[in-house]
C-alpha cells in the first residue's frame, strides 16, 4: 500500500477542518435552542443565552408537561403520523412500482398526471369543500389522504425500482411468482434503503404538519401536538403583548418557542439513528453476480 503523499495529507487536513466547521455551524442552532428552552426570561430577553443555559428555569416545561391535553394531543400526533405514513408508503410504493415498468401502456399519461400535480393544485377552498363533502373532517383521513403521495418521493422510488435488474423479476416470474409476489418477495427486500428514506421523509412531514389538522379538526381533543403548541405560543405572545401577563406567563412567552421545538423534534431525533443505517447499506448485496 502506497504511503500518502504530502498533497494527500494537506487535502485530508483541509477536508477535516472544513467538515469540522460545517458540523459546528450545524450544531450551534440546536444547542442554542436547547439552552434557551432551559433559561430564564431575563437572560433570554437580554440576549445572554448562547450555548449554555442561564438563569435555569423549567417553568415552561412544567406547564406544558403537566397539561393532560398536551399528552392527548401528543398521542394524536403519533397516531396520525403512523397511519398517514403507512397509507403514504403503500400508495407511493405501488404507484412507483407501476411507473417503473417501461412496457406499461399509458405509462406516460400516469407519469404526466403525477408531475402535473407538482405545479398545479385545486387550491385551499376546493380542497376544504372536497374533504368536507367526503365526510373526512375530524378524522385521521383528513390528514392522511390529501397528502398521501408526495410526487418527489414517488419519482425517487420510481427511479430506484427502474435501477433494479430486470433479470431478477424475470427469474421470479418463471418460478411462478405473481406480480404482487415479485413486489413483496423480490423488490421490497432489495429496497430497504429507499423505503427507510421515504418512511423518514413522510413521517417527518406528517409529524411537523399542523395546518391540515388546524383546518379540518374542530375539536381540541382531536388536534395534534403541533396545533396545541401553536396555540400555546399564540396565547403566551398575546398575553405578553397585552401587558397583563403574570411572571409565569412572561417566562412561558420568553422560551415557549424553544421548548416547543425541543418537544416536537426530540422523537424524530431519537428515531433517526435507527433509520440512518439503511442509507449506507448495500442495496444490491448478493442480488446479482455476473
Amino acid at each position: 500500500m502506497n504511503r500518502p503523499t504530502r498533497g494527500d495529507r494537506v487535502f485530508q487536513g483541509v477536508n477535516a477542518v472544513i467538515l469540522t466547521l460545517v458540523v459546528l455551524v450545524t450544531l450551534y442552532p440546536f444547542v442554542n435552542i436547547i439552552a434557551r428552552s432551559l433559561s430564564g426570561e431575563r437572560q433570554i430577553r437580554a440576549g445572554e443565552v448562547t450555548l449554555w443555559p442561564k438563569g435555569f428555569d423549567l417553568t415552561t416545561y412544567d406547564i406544558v408537561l403537566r397539561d393532560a391535553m398536551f399528552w392527548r394531543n401528543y398521542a394524536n400526533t403519533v397516531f396520525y403520523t403512523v397511519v398517514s405514513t403507512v397509507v403514504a408508503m403503500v400508495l407511493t410504493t405501488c404507484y412507483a412500482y407501476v411507473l417503473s415498468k417501461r412496457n406499461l401502456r399509458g405509462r406516460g399519461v400516469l407519469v404526466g398526471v403525477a408531475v402535473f400535480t407538482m405545479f398545479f393544485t385545486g387550491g385551499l377552498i376546493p380542497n376544504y369543500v372536497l374533504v368536507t363533502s367526503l365526510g373526512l373532517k375530524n378524522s385521521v383521513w383528513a390528514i392522511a389522504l390529501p397528502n398521501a403521495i408526495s410526487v418527489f418521493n414517488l419519482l425517487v422510488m420510481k427511479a430506484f425500482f427502474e435501477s433494479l435488474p430486470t433479470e431478477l423479476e424475470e427469474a421470479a416470474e418463471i418460478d411462478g411468482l405473481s406480480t404482487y409476489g415479485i413486489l413483496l418477495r423480490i423488490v421490497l427486500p432489495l429496497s430497504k434503503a429507499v423505503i427507510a428514506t421515504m418512511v423518514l421523509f413522510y413521517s417527518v412531514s406528517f409529524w411537523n404538519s399542523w395546518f391540515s389538522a388546524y383546518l379540518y379538526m374542530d375539536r381540541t381533543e382531536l388536534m395534534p401536538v403541533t396545533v396545541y403548541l401553536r396555540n400555546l405560543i399564540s396565547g403566551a405572545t398575546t398575553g405578553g403583548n397585552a401587558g397583563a401577563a403574570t411572571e409565569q406567563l412572561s417566562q412561558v412567552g420568553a422560551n415557549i418557542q424553544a421548548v416547543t421545538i425541543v418537544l416536537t423534534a426530540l422523537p424524530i431525533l431519537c428515531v433517526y439513528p435507527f433509520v440512518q443505517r439503511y442509507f449506507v447499506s448495500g442495496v444490491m448485496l448478493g442480488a446479482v453476480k455476473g
Side-chain angles (χ1 to χ4, degrees), residues 75-201:
N76 290 341
T77 297
V78 174
F79 177 69
Y80 296 158
T81 300
V82 171
V83 173
S84 300
T85 301
V86 170
V87 171
M89 285 303 302
V90 171
L91 296 180
T92 303
T93 301
C94 293
Y95 198 178
Y97 184 65
V98 168
L99 295 182
S100 68
K101 302 305 174 185
R102 300 183 185 276
N103 59 346
L104 177 70
R105 291 184 178 180
R107 177 174 179 265
V109 175
L110 295 176
V111 174
V113 168
V115 174
F116 180 84
T117 61
M118 293 182 67
F119 304 100
F120 303 96
T121 62
L124 180 62
I125 295 177
N127 284 338
Y128 182 84
V129 172
L130 177 62
V131 171
T132 303
S133 62
L134 292 176
L136 301 180
K137 284 191 64 177
N138 294 316
S139 71
V140 64
W141 308 118
I143 298 175
L145 295 183
N147 305 295
I149 297 180
S150 165
V151 179
F152 174 79
N153 294 345
L154 173 69
L155 297 179
V156 170
M157 293 196 75
K158 167 185 169 292
F160 181 87
F161 289 150
E162 288 177 342
S163 69
L164 296 177
T166 57
E167 292 81 3
L168 284 174
E169 298 187 34
E170 292 172 356
E173 189 174 357
I174 292 174
D175 289 339
L177 283 180
S178 64
T179 301
Y180 294 105
I182 294 173
L183 175 63
L184 295 175
R185 301 180 61 179
I186 303 297
V187 176
L188 294 185
L190 295 175
S191 307
K192 291 181 180 179
V194 71
I195 290 175
T197 304
M198 295 300 106
V199 167
L200 182 63
F201 286 171

